[in-house]
Amino acid sequence: MTFKTKESRLLLVLGSFFVANSILSEFIGVKIFSVEATLGIRHFNINLLGVPNLSFHMSAGVLTWPLIFIMTDIINEYFGMKQVRFLSILTAILIGYAFFIVWGAMNLSSSDFWVNQKINGQNLNMDNAFAGIFGQGMWIIVGSIVAFLIGQFADVIIFHKIKKITGERALWLRSTGSTLVSQLIDSFVVIFIAFYLNPQYHWSWQMVAAIGLVNYTYKFLVAILMTPILYVVHGIIDNYLGKDLAHKLIKLAGRG
């Protein structure tokens, strides 16, 4: 097969960005950052469900998830549910494969000269740093993959349910609406598996619910703010495909 047609090249590009951003999200997600400190504002220190001093401490994976869901909705819009489901399953397999390769790399015997290094004026054990960054626990890996798949499948189904009602109108409604619901599911599933079921942490359901709600509040706001970008991407693709081909693909995608 060659990528000679516009639609085949488009699917290749969208699919590649979808897979790349999904895998990146898993590996950069080990860093937790403060939204308030990044924006230069005071911590909110929210008290919720009996859990005190909650602030917006987010996984760095949130940098790429808006792009993942834009890619999801664009692929859904032009190529249909089956393509999104295939890419989602393939991506989950590739994420598992990536973690397996990283596990193998962690078990390699490090060269003596590489282990102890000075980074930004501080002595650093590179072996420990490598393991700390890439050595995510099995519960977290499983939780993130399961949450990813459930969120993706929910997004696809809701997108098409809304599209059956609105037709080709109201792209913002089916895209943002499906993202908001799927991210609500994702926000709680990953925490539930990684920290509630995980015997290492023993989180209470109040902790899971409170942190899940705080995380979802952030994702809700970002999803709303990303809506104009969705229209920009949609417009670029329409111009690339041409009006007739774009309409044909959207119509065929709506059939499932």
Side-chain angles (χ1 to χ4, degrees), residues 121-169:
Q122 295 185 357
N123 293 322
L124 191 66
N125 184 302
M126 296 297 289
D127 227 12
N128 291 337
F130 189 90
I133 295 297
F134 293 108
Q136 300 185 45
M138 185 58 65
W139 285 93
I140 295 175
I141 294 171
V142 171
S144 62
I145 292 176
V146 170
F148 169 78
L149 284 174
I150 293 176
Q152 284 297 112
F153 291 162
D155 187 281
V156 169
I157 292 170
I158 295 166
F159 185 97
H160 275 273
K161 291 286 185 184
I162 296 174
K163 191 172 183 179
K164 285 183 178 180
I165 298 171
T166 63
E168 294 183 18
R169 306 183 311 277

Side-chain angles (χ1 to χ4, degrees), residues 1-17 79 237 240-241 245 249:
M1 178 181 177
T2 58
F3 295 94
K4 291 183 178 179
T5 63
K6 285 187 175 181
E7 58 266 38
S8 63
R9 290 195 294 268
L10 175 63
L11 181 58
L12 176 64
V13 171
L14 293 174
S16 298
F17 271 99
F79 299 100
I237 291 173
Y240 168 72
L241 293 173
L245 179 56
L249 290 176

Side-chain angles (χ1 to χ4, degrees), residues 49-69:
L49 300 176
V51 181
N53 301 321
L54 290 171
S55 295
F56 288 92
H57 297 290
M58 306 296 298
S59 160
V62 299
L63 289 176
T64 56
W65 81 255
L67 301 175
I68 294 168
F69 281 94

Side-chain angles (χ1 to χ4, degrees), residues 2-128:
T2 58
F3 295 94
K4 291 183 178 179
T5 63
K6 285 187 175 181
E7 58 266 38
S8 63
R9 290 195 294 268
L10 175 63
L11 181 58
L12 176 64
V13 171
L14 293 174
S16 298
F17 271 99
F18 175 85
V19 173
N21 280 307
S22 298
I23 295 176
L24 273 173
S25 183
E26 296 296 330
F27 285 103
I28 68 174
V30 70
K31 178 173 181 176
I32 306 299
F33 74 100
S34 168
V35 175
E36 295 99 324
T38 301
L39 296 176
I41 61 177
R42 184 180 300 176
H43 285 214
F44 288 105
N45 294 323
I46 303 165
N47 295 319
L48 186 62
L49 300 176
V51 181
N53 301 321
L54 290 171
S55 295
F56 288 92
H57 297 290
M58 306 296 298
S59 160
V62 299
L63 289 176
T64 56
W65 81 255
L67 301 175
I68 294 168
F69 281 94
I70 284 179
M71 294 298 103
T72 298
D73 293 337
I74 290 294
I75 294 169
N76 210 349
E77 178 80 353
Y78 289 96
F79 299 100
M81 288 192 295
K82 291 181 180 179
Q83 293 290 357
V84 177
R85 285 173 177 167
F86 170 77
L87 280 170
S88 298
I89 293 170
L90 174 62
T91 300
I93 293 171
L94 291 174
I95 289 171
Y97 167 76
F99 277 119
F100 176 75
I101 295 299
V102 167
W103 173 83
M106 288 170 57
N107 285 278
L108 297 174
S109 296
S110 302
S111 298
D112 293 337
F113 73 88
W114 178 78
V115 174
N116 296 305
Q117 296 191 39
K118 202 165 190 176
I119 307 294
N120 294 328
Q122 295 185 357
N123 293 322
L124 191 66
N125 184 302
M126 296 297 289
D127 227 12
N128 291 337

Side-chain angles (χ1 to χ4, degrees), residues 223-240:
I224 298 297
L225 293 174
M226 291 294 289
T227 302
I229 297 177
L230 177 74
Y231 277 91
V232 170
V233 175
H234 198 281
I236 291 171
I237 291 173
D238 279 352
N239 288 333
Y240 168 72

